Amino acid sequence: MTMLRRFRDHARIGPVRVATAYDQRGREKHTVACTAPRCDFSADYDSRAAAELAARTHRCPVR
């Protein structure tokens, strides 16, 4: 089942985007996704600090 997530508090750190949304259970999650071509990096974190750290330290494997 697909679910529409409403993202807010967007930020961009290099090619990586960070946004905040609520998951299916109503908990706040922070999502990180790389927008570079052929890079499939994305993850959900419980804290904004962890998400921003992952965005800052991400290195795309495809150059």
Side-chain angles (χ1 to χ4, degrees), residues 23-60:
D23 67 358
Q24 298 91 332
R25 297 183 179 184
R27 297 176 296 203
E28 190 175 59
K29 293 289 183 175
H30 306 279
T31 303
V32 179
C34 185
T35 59
R38 297 182 311 217
C39 182
D40 295 330
F41 173 72
S42 66
D44 288 335
Y45 293 94
D46 291 332
S47 71
R48 181 73 180 203
E52 289 183 5
L53 179 65
R56 284 190 180 90
T57 59
H58 171 66
R59 300 288 176 248
C60 293

